[in-house]
PDB file of all heavy atoms in Angstrom:
ATOM      1  N   LEU A  60     -41.413  13.780  41.357  1.00 93.00           N
ATOM      2  CA  LEU A  60     -42.076  12.776  42.211  1.00 93.00           C
ATOM      3  C   LEU A  60     -41.881  13.086  43.667  1.00 93.00           C
ATOM      4  O   LEU A  60     -42.816  13.013  44.482  1.00 93.00           O
ATOM      5  CB  LEU A  60     -41.514  11.406  41.835  1.00 93.00           C
ATOM      6  CG  LEU A  60     -42.255  10.200  42.539  1.00 93.00           C
ATOM      7  CD1 LEU A  60     -43.740  10.191  42.178  1.00 93.00           C
ATOM      8  CD2 LEU A  60     -41.545   8.907  42.196  1.00 93.00           C
ATOM      9  N   SER A  61     -40.650  13.475  44.064  1.00 96.00           N
ATOM     10  CA  SER A  61     -40.356  13.829  45.485  1.00 96.00           C
ATOM     11  C   SER A  61     -41.142  15.141  45.855  1.00 96.00           C
ATOM     12  O   SER A  61     -41.670  15.159  46.937  1.00 96.00           O
ATOM     13  CB  SER A  61     -38.882  13.944  45.712  1.00 96.00           C
ATOM     14  OG  SER A  61     -38.181  12.759  45.479  1.00 96.00           O
ATOM     15  N   ALA A  62     -41.114  16.024  44.918  1.00 95.00           N
ATOM     16  CA  ALA A  62     -41.775  17.304  45.227  1.00 95.00           C
ATOM     17  C   ALA A  62     -43.219  17.165  45.424  1.00 95.00           C
ATOM     18  O   ALA A  62     -43.902  17.904  46.195  1.00 95.00           O
ATOM     19  CB  ALA A  62     -41.526  18.313  44.117  1.00 95.00           C
ATOM     20  N   SER A  63     -43.890  16.089  44.806  1.00 96.00           N
ATOM     21  CA  SER A  63     -45.300  15.860  44.897  1.00 96.00           C
ATOM     22  C   SER A  63     -45.722  15.442  46.326  1.00 96.00           C
ATOM     23  O   SER A  63     -46.917  15.557  46.692  1.00 96.00           O
ATOM     24  CB  SER A  63     -45.773  14.855  43.883  1.00 96.00           C
ATOM     25  OG  SER A  63     -45.293  13.605  44.131  1.00 96.00           O
ATOM     26  N   VAL A  64     -44.728  14.901  47.144  1.00 97.00           N
ATOM     27  CA  VAL A  64     -45.131  14.410  48.460  1.00 97.00           C
ATOM     28  C   VAL A  64     -44.414  15.308  49.506  1.00 97.00           C
ATOM     29  O   VAL A  64     -44.407  14.917  50.686  1.00 97.00           O
ATOM     30  CB  VAL A  64     -44.699  12.923  48.692  1.00 97.00           C
ATOM     31  CG1 VAL A  64     -45.524  12.032  47.691  1.00 97.00           C
ATOM     32  CG2 VAL A  64     -43.200  12.706  48.419  1.00 97.00           C
ATOM     33  N   ALA A  65     -43.859  16.444  49.102  1.00 97.00           N
ATOM     34  CA  ALA A  65     -43.162  17.288  50.022  1.00 97.00           C
ATOM     35  C   ALA A  65     -44.103  18.328  50.617  1.00 97.00           C
ATOM     36  O   ALA A  65     -45.030  18.819  49.929  1.00 97.00           O
ATOM     37  CB  ALA A  65     -41.981  18.006  49.374  1.00 97.00           C
ATOM     38  N   GLU A  66     -43.906  18.684  51.860  1.00 97.00           N
ATOM     39  CA  GLU A  66     -44.765  19.666  52.556  1.00 97.00           C
ATOM     40  C   GLU A  66     -43.915  20.595  53.427  1.00 97.00           C
ATOM     41  O   GLU A  66     -43.038  20.102  54.196  1.00 97.00           O
ATOM     42  CB  GLU A  66     -45.836  18.911  53.409  1.00 97.00           C
ATOM     43  CG  GLU A  66     -46.808  19.863  54.102  1.00 97.00           C
ATOM     44  CD  GLU A  66     -47.828  19.054  54.942  1.00 97.00           C
ATOM     45  OE1 GLU A  66     -47.991  17.828  54.769  1.00 97.00           O
ATOM     46  OE2 GLU A  66     -48.512  19.762  55.693  1.00 97.00           O
ATOM     47  N   ALA A  67     -44.074  21.873  53.260  1.00 97.00           N
ATOM     48  CA  ALA A  67     -43.375  22.816  54.038  1.00 97.00           C
ATOM     49  C   ALA A  67     -44.047  22.946  55.391  1.00 97.00           C
ATOM     50  O   ALA A  67     -45.256  23.131  55.477  1.00 97.00           O
ATOM     51  CB  ALA A  67     -43.386  24.171  53.290  1.00 97.00           C
ATOM     52  N   VAL A  68     -43.224  22.795  56.402  1.00 97.00           N
ATOM     53  CA  VAL A  68     -43.775  22.829  57.781  1.00 97.00           C
ATOM     54  C   VAL A  68     -42.825  23.655  58.624  1.00 97.00           C
ATOM     55  O   VAL A  68     -41.649  23.918  58.226  1.00 97.00           O
ATOM     56  CB  VAL A  68     -43.937  21.471  58.386  1.00 97.00           C
ATOM     57  CG1 VAL A  68     -44.881  20.616  57.633  1.00 97.00           C
ATOM     58  CG2 VAL A  68     -42.569  20.750  58.502  1.00 97.00           C
ATOM     59  N   GLY A  69     -43.280  24.123  59.828  1.00 95.00           N
ATOM     60  CA  GLY A  69     -42.423  24.883  60.752  1.00 95.00           C
ATOM     61  C   GLY A  69     -41.468  24.000  61.513  1.00 95.00           C
ATOM     62  O   GLY A  69     -41.701  22.802  61.630  1.00 95.00           O
ATOM     63  N   ARG A  70     -40.451  24.611  61.999  1.00 95.00           N
ATOM     64  CA  ARG A  70     -39.532  23.853  62.871  1.00 95.00           C
ATOM     65  C   ARG A  70     -40.130  23.217  64.059  1.00 95.00           C
ATOM     66  O   ARG A  70     -39.735  22.152  64.536  1.00 95.00           O
ATOM     67  CB  ARG A  70     -38.323  24.777  63.281  1.00 95.00           C
ATOM     68  CG  ARG A  70     -37.134  23.956  63.810  1.00 95.00           C
ATOM     69  CD  ARG A  70     -35.955  24.853  63.938  1.00 95.00           C
ATOM     70  NE  ARG A  70     -35.424  25.347  62.648  1.00 95.00           N
ATOM     71  CZ  ARG A  70     -34.613  24.608  61.856  1.00 95.00           C
ATOM     72  NH1 ARG A  70     -34.294  23.414  62.206  1.00 95.00           N
ATOM     73  NH2 ARG A  70     -34.244  25.140  60.726  1.00 95.00           N
ATOM     74  N   ALA A  71     -41.161  23.912  64.609  1.00 95.00           N
ATOM     75  CA  ALA A  71     -41.842  23.378  65.861  1.00 95.00           C
ATOM     76  C   ALA A  71     -42.514  22.104  65.481  1.00 95.00           C
ATOM     77  O   ALA A  71     -42.512  21.125  66.284  1.00 95.00           O
ATOM     78  CB  ALA A  71     -42.843  24.412  66.322  1.00 95.00           C
ATOM     79  N   ASP A  72     -43.148  21.994  64.296  1.00 96.00           N
ATOM     80  CA  ASP A  72     -43.800  20.751  63.916  1.00 96.00           C
ATOM     81  C   ASP A  72     -42.770  19.610  63.673  1.00 96.00           C
ATOM     82  O   ASP A  72     -43.026  18.489  64.030  1.00 96.00           O
ATOM     83  CB  ASP A  72     -44.614  21.002  62.635  1.00 96.00           C
ATOM     84  CG  ASP A  72     -45.938  21.672  62.898  1.00 96.00           C
ATOM     85  OD1 ASP A  72     -46.472  21.452  63.976  1.00 96.00           O
ATOM     86  OD2 ASP A  72     -46.333  22.509  62.061  1.00 96.00           O
ATOM     87  N   LEU A  73     -41.598  20.044  63.125  1.00 97.00           N
ATOM     88  CA  LEU A  73     -40.529  19.030  62.929  1.00 97.00           C
ATOM     89  C   LEU A  73     -40.081  18.539  64.292  1.00 97.00           C
ATOM     90  O   LEU A  73     -39.772  17.337  64.411  1.00 97.00           O
ATOM     91  CB  LEU A  73     -39.389  19.645  62.143  1.00 97.00           C
ATOM     92  CG  LEU A  73     -39.702  19.910  60.620  1.00 97.00           C
ATOM     93  CD1 LEU A  73     -38.667  20.821  60.034  1.00 97.00           C
ATOM     94  CD2 LEU A  73     -39.755  18.569  59.853  1.00 97.00           C
ATOM     95  N   GLY A  74     -40.009  19.398  65.253  1.00 96.00           N
ATOM     96  CA  GLY A  74     -39.654  19.027  66.521  1.00 96.00           C
ATOM     97  C   GLY A  74     -40.590  18.070  67.205  1.00 96.00           C
ATOM     98  O   GLY A  74     -40.155  17.271  68.010  1.00 96.00           O
ATOM     99  N   ARG A  75     -41.894  18.147  66.865  1.00 96.00           N
ATOM    100  CA  ARG A  75     -42.892  17.224  67.412  1.00 96.00           C
ATOM    101  C   ARG A  75     -42.723  15.801  66.801  1.00 96.00           C
ATOM    102  O   ARG A  75     -43.152  14.845  67.443  1.00 96.00           O
ATOM    103  CB  ARG A  75     -44.303  17.768  67.098  1.00 96.00           C
ATOM    104  CG  ARG A  75     -44.652  19.039  67.852  1.00 96.00           C
ATOM    105  CD  ARG A  75     -45.960  19.540  67.217  1.00 96.00           C
ATOM    106  NE  ARG A  75     -47.046  18.665  67.492  1.00 96.00           N
ATOM    107  CZ  ARG A  75     -48.161  18.707  66.785  1.00 96.00           C
ATOM    108  NH1 ARG A  75     -48.329  19.592  65.862  1.00 96.00           N
ATOM    109  NH2 ARG A  75     -49.172  17.872  67.150  1.00 96.00           N
TER     110      ARG A  75
END
Side-chain angles (χ1 to χ4, degrees):
L60 185 60
S61 299
S63 70
V64 295
E66 182 177 349
V68 299
R70 193 172 293 279
D72 284 326
L73 289 164
R75 293 170 63 200

